[in-house]
Amino acid sequence: MKKTVFLGAFTVAGLAAAAAAAGTMDDVKARGKLNCGVTTGLVGFAAPDANGEWKGFDVAVCRAVAAAVLGDASAVEFVPTTGKTRFTALASGEIDMLARNTTWTFSRDVDLKFEFTGVNYYDGQGFMVPKELGVSSAKELDGATVCIQTGTTTELNLADFFRSNNISYEPVPIETNAEAQQQYLAGACDVYTTDASGLAATRATFENPGDHVLLPEIISKEPLGPLVRHGDHEWGDVVRWTLNALISAEELGITSANIGEMSAGTNNPEINRVLGTEGTLGEMLGLDAEWSKRAIAAGGNYGEIFAQNIGEETPIGLARGLNAQWTEGGLLYSPPFR
């Protein structure tokens, strides 16, 4: 979600190069806390609960990294960022990693000097409209007012879609998801467009979710995932393989319930390497042997995190779809632990 166009690319790239040179893992260990950039609030993905505790699908990735590096899943400072502020916060070193519905694109990877460490949610841009509008397809939205987050490539996708279908629209600029929700419900726009997962999460917070429809069109590819600064490869490896550990754990049947038993050793060498009872993978990362065990224990494997925060039994109600394991027809696939 919030796919920012690269304004001030040279400035951001310069900040990133300077911050990366500092050695992020050493900074995190010395500080005793991970500074993790998240969204300003998207229920199911990253939002504070009634007690002010951050929870969600993306929050779980931050906590897993903190557990792996610091041995404490609660040793995280969550830094809310908008579509406009997130990249500057990462480039400047204000945050150590970004985990907030950010799409992996060429320009962000190459020109802005960031390193995406994997995909934790395969998504695509969609549209939400009030049911009473009587619309069943985005191609019927000629002349509609559309709430759109400013400074994002969502704007570009939207313009391309309407242009290619020879229809027009009037943009209603907004800064955050909370503002979009307010404007949409107030009738300031006919349509809200962002990643389909974000629309589902937003709709789940409405008083009457059934009064709003997600249209069938998905108009883009949005591989969402955590990212770090270019040049700090040691830190990038830690974040990348922490995510891979959560994904591999689900494939291998390692859960929050059985991880203690499996840590005693199994007949499966891959499980043993993931949990650190065999091999020296932790040492290669500059961590101890149980880094991955702690990451998985923090919130469970990928499937557990998905089900608890955004799955079909939650108000958000997302099916696994493309985010199912590769063995189940999805795209989720971790490189081997060996």
Side-chain angles (χ1 to χ4, degrees), residues 46-332:
D49 64 11
N51 299 316
E53 182 180 356
W54 282 86
K55 292 186 176 179
F57 183 75
D58 292 325
V59 165
V61 176
C62 301
R63 294 198 186 281
V65 173
V69 177
L70 300 171
D72 182 0
S74 67
V76 185
E77 179 74 25
F78 292 99
V79 181
T81 64
T82 68
K84 287 187 173 180
T85 65
R86 56 184 167 174
F87 295 137
T88 302
L90 180 58
S92 67
E94 178 185 353
I95 56 177
D96 305 307
M97 60 178 287
L98 185 61
R100 65 164 312 283
N101 307 70
T102 297
T103 304
W104 188 348
T105 70
F106 182 101
S107 59
R108 291 172 180 179
D109 198 326
V110 178
D111 197 38
L112 292 188
K113 306 302 181 189
F114 295 127
E115 182 176 345
F116 284 79
T117 58
V119 176
N120 72 326
Y121 195 91
Y122 290 93
D123 211 342
Q125 185 174 331
F127 300 90
M128 178 167 63
V129 299
K131 182 182 289 185
E132 65 181 16
L133 206 60
V135 172
S136 60
S137 167
K139 295 177 182 179
E140 300 172 13
L141 294 174
D142 192 17
T145 53
V146 183
C147 278
I148 179 93
Q149 292 200 16
T150 55
T152 72
T153 55
T154 305
E155 292 178 291
L156 305 180
N157 294 336
L158 182 66
D160 287 349
F161 176 79
F162 274 77
R163 179 182 175 185
S164 64
N165 285 283
N166 198 29
I167 54 178
S168 64
Y169 69 99
E170 180 183 341
V172 177
I174 48 93
E175 291 281 345
T176 66
N177 187 69
E179 183 185 353
Q181 178 176 327
Q182 182 182 33
Q183 294 283 71
Y184 172 79
L185 290 176
C189 55
D190 303 312
V191 188
Y192 179 31
T193 184
T194 188
D195 292 345
S197 65
L199 295 176
T202 300
R203 183 175 64 171
T205 67
F206 292 171
E207 185 176 348
N208 297 300
D211 291 345
H212 304 270
V213 178
L214 302 187
L215 299 180
E217 286 85 1
I218 298 296
I219 66 170
S220 66
K221 293 186 297 183
E222 310 296 339
L224 310 176
L227 58 155
V228 299
R229 292 175 289 273
H230 258 182
D232 194 344
H233 303 300
E234 181 183 39
W235 179 243
D237 286 343
V238 168
V239 177
R240 175 180 301 106
W241 285 96
T242 297
L243 175 58
N244 285 337
L246 302 179
I247 294 170
S248 288
E250 182 184 19
E251 179 185 347
L252 295 168
I254 305 169
T255 69
S256 56
N258 67 22
I259 193 169
E261 178 184 350
M262 285 195 167
S263 295
T266 72
N267 293 327
N268 186 322
E270 181 93 346
I271 292 176
N272 297 341
R273 288 191 292 268
V274 168
L275 296 179
T277 59
E278 188 174 315
T280 58
L281 300 186
E283 182 181 334
M284 295 178 194
L285 280 178
L287 299 173
D288 64 15
E290 295 193 340
W291 67 276
S292 181
K293 175 184 175 182
R294 291 193 300 271
I296 298 164
N301 64 37
Y302 179 94
E304 291 177 285
I305 292 169
F306 191 106
Q308 179 180 352
N309 292 288
I310 58 177
E312 292 183 287
E313 300 303 315
T314 71
I316 296 170
L318 293 174
R320 287 293 292 270
L322 295 177
N323 297 289
Q325 289 279 339
W326 66 285
T327 52
E328 300 292 331
L331 298 178
L332 213 61

